[in-house]
Amino acid sequence: MDGGMSKEDSPRRPTFYAWEETPGPSRRLADERPTPPEEKAAPPASATLVEESEDLSVEAEALSFVRAFLETSEQDIAQKMTFLEQLGIIFEAKTVEGFRLFPSDLLIRVVEVLIPWTASGNNLERKTTAETLARICSAVRVLCGYRATTEFPVMGQLVGCLTLCHYDNERMVAYWAARGLHHLYSFAARCRGKSTAEQELLARVLRREGDGEDEEDPLESAMIIPTLFKEVLSPAEVSDLYLTALHGLQETSAQKIHAAVCVEKALRADPAASLGKVREVVIFLHGHLDSFQDRLAHEDLNGILHTLKERHLSEVVHTLLSCSPLCDSSAATLWGMLVSRSCHAEEVLHHLLACLQGQPQEPLLSEEEIATLRLAAAHVLPRILEQPPLSLRLVLQAQWEAACLSLVFWVSHLHRGAPGTTPSHGPERAEDESERLARSSVGTLRRLLEEFRPEELPNDDTIWERLGSADTFHQGVTRLFRALHSLSSEELQHVAAHVMCSLRGPDEHQAVTAMNIFKELLRRAFIPITQEVLRHLMAQLRSPNEDLHSLALDGLLAVADKPEQVWKLLPLLLEVANNLQESDLPNTRRLFSQLQRSLEDISSPALAADAAGHLLPLFNAECYVARNFAIHNFRAMLGRGATRALRDLALRSLAPLLLHLHDESSIVVEACWQTLSTAAILLGHRKLHRLVLIRDKWSTCRIFGKRFRKVAACSFQEQILDHLRSPQVSVREAAIRILGLLGEETRDRRKLEVINRALRGMRSDEQESIRSCAVLATYALEALPDEDPPARSLRERLRRLCGACCSSA
């Protein structure tokens, strides 16, 4: 037997059914029914009433003492014994009336108080507590049956406590524990509708254990008892039983420790044993690892962790991180066990890196909890990387880029000085702690590259110094990823995927670091330019963060350096132009200059028409550099041929070109005159070409209203209406005047009404000149005669003549 105790030295336990051979009440376990009335004389009715009233008054006094005891904080051994004596008075009752005064919630509190007393070093206290618990278990059936309930929340803890007490060195403790287990099983089996065959098996097991009939292993029932009970307990109760068995490893008795190990082994494979109590089990293992590591074999401890992480790995990782943010020796031992198996090392590393980036997979966490997990993961990674097991080395060999990126993002988070990353010891000390953590994480990053990618390790030591400093961190990131020159396509895809995932995160500082890496990958042509890449660039260009905006523009410059990517950028140019800022002017000129060099190589009329179609919407861009680029290159595309597609585009461009003759930028005005001249030649309109040569703005405008009727097919009027929302005052004013000219010449009453409605809307413009121009144009159109203008076509004259002849006849 474990603990050095031989079978002859172990005390003999009483026979299970031989209650008469032991001190205490001679009540048979299997027969709790009162004696039938015919077998004993019935007392007088008056004597019975007096006796019952006296019993109830005594029980009420005992109940009052129990309530008062539970409210006190200081409890010595004498008070405990009195408390147990008063409980004995209550649970010695022979009728249901004895339990009416005892509420269920109070019963549960009493059991919760008594369970820890079974581990007391005082033999009398343990014996009396076990006896009281056995009587409570006997009362549970009557009490819960009387109240029509099957709920007893402390059932699992009570079963685990009594199972350990059954192997106590004190024979009376084991005796009362056996009685309590029998009553609990009877109650649970009745509630779950189980047969009595298992109950008889439990009775035989307890009787054989008590008589010492098992010659091979006296503790064999320690595995049979929980196996029987888990069939009648709920999953939550099985979890309580399992946790109670783990707490039993702290016992001083060798037999109880052995029994706890047996119970744990019997329940380990049951999924219900690990449901709902994962956090408690992990916290208990971490808190008591050093004290019972010699009592529990290494394979058993590893088996417990293996069972937990099979079903609840993320909760195990998060709980262990929360238990020890600084990764003490016990936590380091448990982490070593978690990554010791290759089947779980990858998932554990994945959870750690997610926590390090502030993206734990456990939902509904507060910012403070996420900050604690990040800090703990930063301390765990260096510990497990000091001497990584083979399983972890294989995982890191395949996922070193994810670990490197996570460490880089963590260092950027530290340099930002985010709250919650360091203990609150004052701003100066917190800043020093952040710098120390940053340098430590940079050292971990360097060791990771030395270990798994020595060929990628930069020779420049200043890179690590730059990474460790908040002022030069982004320069260090740029140099580090410039040095990664021999990455495979698969590794580059992994890096790009992690970076784009970080760009979608809520942490802007981390997004700036990710955008810096992303820009460098684009510049070195490490990743292919896909629509997803462009979408990420455009999303960051719209960001209010100036650093993200500037880095996104640098990324677009890297894309524009490649002539083959011009067709992917052309559809995005209007959005790019509308999101540019004044500080972006140098980079904006570089961007459009690179695009212009790519467009100059286009010679095919079909490709020229396609490019011109993308440039036409850019005429209305807010940035004058973009407008000048679009109009200038549109003219170049019109010169590539005289196809129908190019003529149609030239016709559609007349309205915006005409309006931008009034542009605030003289460069744009000059580009419009030149493009109008080219369009007039392409369309064969000589009068328009002559007016363009003499730079007559308003005469050119009147052509569209009087004679250039083909423009109507190109929604000329709709184009003018769209420019009423132009940010330039001069363009809005020109649009109002041209609409007035169109209204004077139109013969369509519906179009005239649309023009009038648009002009009335412009009366509320914020600019006084616009309001005045709109009022004058409205008055001019309202002054027109109501009758239709004279017909000018021969067909209309003939129709009127025919109508007059018919009426005279």
Side-chain angles (χ1 to χ4, degrees):
M1 182 179 297
D2 192 11
M5 178 178 285
S6 62
K7 181 176 182 300
E8 290 79 6
D9 295 337
S10 61
R12 178 179 175 83
R13 296 180 177 81
T15 305
F16 184 75
Y17 285 104
W19 309 120
E20 297 80 8
E21 299 178 5
T22 61
S26 58
R27 192 178 303 127
R28 296 183 64 87
L29 179 67
D31 189 7
E32 296 286 350
R33 298 187 302 275
T35 307
E38 62 273 13
E39 297 181 7
K40 60 180 181 180
S46 59
T48 303
L49 291 176
V50 170
E51 182 180 355
E52 289 184 358
S53 63
E54 291 178 354
D55 290 343
L56 291 177
S57 63
V58 172
E59 291 168 0
E61 292 178 1
L63 185 61
S64 299
F65 179 85
V66 168
R67 291 182 182 274
F69 178 83
L70 293 176
E71 299 297 330
T72 59
S73 56
E74 297 181 0
Q75 301 169 353
D76 56 15
I77 184 65
Q79 291 176 329
K80 289 182 179 180
M81 297 307 296
T82 306
F83 175 71
L84 292 171
E85 180 181 352
Q86 297 300 318
L87 287 175
I89 292 174
I90 296 175
F91 290 102
E92 278 290 337
K94 299 181 178 59
T95 60
V96 171
E97 286 75 6
F99 302 126
R100 285 183 176 178
L101 299 176
F102 213 96
S104 298
D105 57 344
L106 185 62
L107 178 64
I108 293 169
R109 283 188 63 192
V110 167
V111 173
E112 291 175 345
V113 169
L114 293 181
I115 284 177
W117 295 3
T118 59
S120 172
N122 188 306
N123 290 342
L124 179 60
E125 181 180 351
R126 291 203 317 279
K127 182 188 79 65
T128 311
T129 302
E131 179 182 357
T132 305
L133 286 175
R135 297 190 186 282
I136 289 176
C137 293
S138 176
V140 163
R141 289 185 298 176
V142 180
L143 182 63
C144 295
Y146 169 72
R147 290 174 183 163
T149 180
T150 60
E151 297 295 331
F152 193 50
V154 291
M155 173 73 79
Q157 301 176 42
L158 195 52
V159 171
C161 171
L162 293 177
T163 302
L164 298 181
C165 288
H166 183 55
Y167 299 96
D168 196 285
N169 292 330
E170 181 67 28
R171 52 197 295 262
M172 290 308 301
V173 175
Y175 165 77
W176 288 112
R179 292 195 64 182
L181 287 172
H182 189 276
H183 288 308
L184 284 179
Y185 190 89
S186 176
F187 164 72
R190 185 190 65 185
C191 294
R192 303 295 188 275
K194 298 290 183 179
S195 64
T196 58
E198 289 82 2
Q199 186 175 354
E200 295 175 358
L201 174 60
L202 177 66
R204 289 198 302 271
V205 169
L206 295 175
R207 181 172 65 248
R208 180 180 59 185
E209 180 67 20
D211 293 340
E213 297 177 6
D214 191 359
E215 299 294 338
E216 296 182 0
D217 187 2
L219 293 175
E220 180 187 356
S221 61
M223 298 189 70
I224 300 178
I225 292 173
T227 303
L228 293 175
F229 265 99
K230 72 179 182 181
E231 300 296 332
V232 296
L233 297 180
S234 66
E237 292 167 346
V238 175
S239 300
D240 290 335
L241 172 58
Y242 184 76
L243 192 60
T244 305
L246 289 180
H247 281 277
L249 296 172
Q250 302 176 85
E251 295 281 355
T252 56
S253 169
Q255 287 193 183
K256 295 179 79 172
I257 293 173
H258 191 180
V261 173
C262 292
V263 173
E264 189 278 323
K265 287 182 178 180
L267 296 177
R268 186 188 303 167
D270 190 352
S274 59
L275 291 176
K277 297 293 180 180
V278 177
R279 294 183 61 86
E280 290 84 348
V281 172
V282 175
I283 292 172
F284 176 79
L285 290 177
H286 171 261
H288 303 86
L289 183 65
D290 295 335
S291 62
F292 65 78
Q293 201 167 8
D294 54 341
R295 303 179 180 183
L296 194 65
H298 179 79
E299 56 270 14
D300 291 331
L301 182 60
N302 206 348
I304 295 174
L305 281 177
H306 177 73
T307 303
L308 290 176
K309 64 189 179 184
E310 277 283 348
R311 305 183 182 98
H312 316 281
L313 181 59
S314 64
E315 190 171 356
V316 171
V317 171
H318 294 161
T319 304
L320 191 53
L321 287 174
S322 302
C323 287
S324 179
L326 299 180
C327 193
D328 54 19
S329 59
S330 298
T333 303
L334 293 175
W335 283 114
M337 294 180 180
L338 283 175
V339 298
S340 60
R341 299 192 181 186
S342 57
C343 57
H344 294 137
E346 183 176 357
E347 296 183 37
V348 171
L349 181 64
H350 176 72
H351 284 294
L352 281 176
L353 297 181
C355 291
L356 189 63
Q357 294 187 51
Q359 300 171 356
Q361 297 186 357
E362 186 175 348
L364 303 178
L365 292 178
S366 64
E367 293 184 3
E368 184 178 355
E369 292 173 331
I370 293 176
T372 301
L373 292 178
R374 297 190 77 168
L375 184 62
H379 285 92
V380 168
L381 275 177
R383 294 293 297 270
I384 64 176
L385 290 177
E386 288 178 358
Q387 293 181 348
L390 179 60
S391 56
L392 184 60
R393 290 180 62 86
L394 294 175
V395 173
L396 286 171
Q397 186 70 31
Q399 298 188 11
W400 67 271
E401 62 276 0
C404 288
L405 287 171
S406 299
L407 287 169
V408 170
F409 293 143
W410 166 246
V411 174
S412 71
H413 184 74
L414 289 173
H415 285 324
R416 185 185 63 172
T421 55
T422 56
S424 55
H425 300 304
E428 294 182 359
R429 187 171 178 182
E431 185 176 353
D432 295 339
E433 184 68 13
S434 293
E435 291 180 0
R436 186 190 65 80
L437 281 173
R439 289 193 297 270
S440 174
S441 300
V442 170
T444 304
L445 174 62
R446 186 172 187 174
R447 288 197 301 271
L448 187 66
L449 288 174
E450 289 175 349
E451 182 72 22
F452 299 101
R453 293 302 294 247
E455 68 278 5
E456 301 288 350
L457 188 67
N459 297 324
D460 188 3
D461 291 338
T462 60
I463 290 179
W464 312 111
E465 298 176 2
R466 292 176 184 271
L467 288 172
S469 174
D471 298 331
T472 59
F473 171 72
H474 289 297
Q475 299 176 13
V477 171
T478 302
R479 294 195 177 193
L480 175 64
F481 281 89
R482 281 180 184 174
L484 302 179
H485 52 80
S486 61
L487 297 177
S488 65
S489 59
E490 184 178 358
E491 290 171 335
L492 288 171
Q493 290 177 2
H494 289 166
V495 172
H498 286 293
V499 169
M500 287 189 285
C501 181
S502 300
L503 288 175
R504 293 191 294 266
D507 191 342
E508 283 192 356
H509 201 73
Q510 179 173 309
V512 170
T513 305
M515 195 63 223
N516 197 8
I517 300 171
F518 197 52
K519 174 204 69 175
E520 194 59 37
L521 294 176
L522 290 172
R523 180 172 295 172
R524 301 291 301 276
F526 281 165
I527 56 177
I529 309 300
T530 62
Q531 291 299 325
E532 184 180 6
V533 169
L534 294 175
R535 280 197 301 270
H536 281 288
L537 287 175
M538 297 307 301
Q540 303 310 318
L541 189 69
R542 294 189 295 267
S543 173
N545 187 296
E546 294 183 1
D547 293 332
L548 282 175
H549 176 85
S550 177
L551 289 169
L553 188 55
D554 289 342
L556 289 173
L557 281 170
V559 176
D561 277 335
K562 307 169 184 60
E564 67 275 6
Q565 304 299 335
V566 66
W567 296 105
K568 295 180 181 178
L569 283 179
L570 283 177
L572 306 174
L573 287 181
L574 180 60
E575 186 178 359
V576 171
N578 291 336
N579 285 282
L580 294 175
Q581 302 173 2
E582 293 183 3
S583 58
D584 300 329
L585 197 55
N587 284 337
T588 302
R589 288 196 175 99
R590 288 177 53 199
L591 174 64
F592 288 118
S593 296
Q594 292 170 1
L595 290 173
Q596 184 169 347
R597 286 195 297 269
S598 300
L599 292 175
E600 287 174 355
D601 297 334
I602 297 177
S603 58
S604 168
L607 294 179
D610 193 5
H614 290 300
L615 292 172
L616 187 58
L618 203 58
F619 287 9
N620 303 324
E622 297 179 8
C623 177
Y624 80 92
V625 178
R627 296 198 301 273
N628 181 53
F629 161 81
I631 296 172
H632 179 78
N633 285 278
F634 185 85
R635 176 176 176 245
M637 296 300 106
L638 293 182
R640 296 295 190 269
T643 62
R644 182 172 181 177
L646 287 174
R647 287 195 183 95
D648 290 341
L649 287 170
L651 196 61
R652 289 168 52 193
S653 70
L654 292 177
L657 288 173
L658 181 64
L659 288 167
H660 283 286
L661 290 176
H662 307 270
D663 198 281
E664 296 173 355
S665 172
S666 59
I667 301 176
V668 175
V669 172
E670 182 62 29
C672 286
W673 282 119
Q674 295 177 6
T675 308
L676 273 173
S677 176
T678 305
I681 295 173
L682 183 63
L683 294 171
H685 200 293
R686 297 179 181 178
K687 186 172 183 180
L688 175 62
H689 185 252
R690 286 196 302 269
L691 292 174
V692 169
L693 290 179
I694 63 175
R695 304 293 176 93
D696 189 347
K697 293 182 181 179
W698 293 110
S699 297
T700 305
C701 294
R702 288 186 176 277
I703 290 179
F704 296 94
K706 291 183 176 180
R707 299 183 180 179
F708 206 1
R709 298 301 180 188
K710 292 184 179 179
V711 179
C714 301
S715 303
F716 178 70
Q717 180 176 316
E718 284 76 6
Q719 288 179 303
I720 302 297
L721 290 171
D722 289 340
H723 281 77
L724 291 177
R725 297 187 295 269
S726 173
Q728 298 185 70
V729 178
S730 60
V731 173
R732 294 206 302 275
E733 186 175 346
I736 291 173
R737 293 184 178 184
I738 295 176
L739 282 176
L741 293 175
L742 288 175
E744 293 177 0
E745 299 296 331
T746 185
R747 287 180 258 170
D748 191 335
R749 291 297 177 185
R750 288 179 299 177
K751 290 184 179 180
L752 184 60
E753 181 59 30
V754 171
I755 293 173
N756 277 324
R757 188 165 53 249
L759 292 176
R760 284 194 294 269
M762 297 303 293
R763 290 181 179 184
S764 59
D765 193 272
E766 58 184 9
Q767 294 292 331
E768 184 178 357
S769 61
I770 298 296
R771 294 196 299 269
S772 301
C773 189
V775 170
L776 291 175
T778 304
Y779 286 163
L781 293 180
E782 289 177 352
L784 292 176
D786 293 336
E787 64 271 8
D788 293 337
R792 297 176 181 176
S793 65
L794 178 61
R795 179 180 301 176
E796 184 66 20
R797 292 177 181 178
L798 289 174
R799 186 183 299 114
R800 290 195 176 194
L801 181 61
C802 293
C805 293
C806 292
S807 61
S808 61

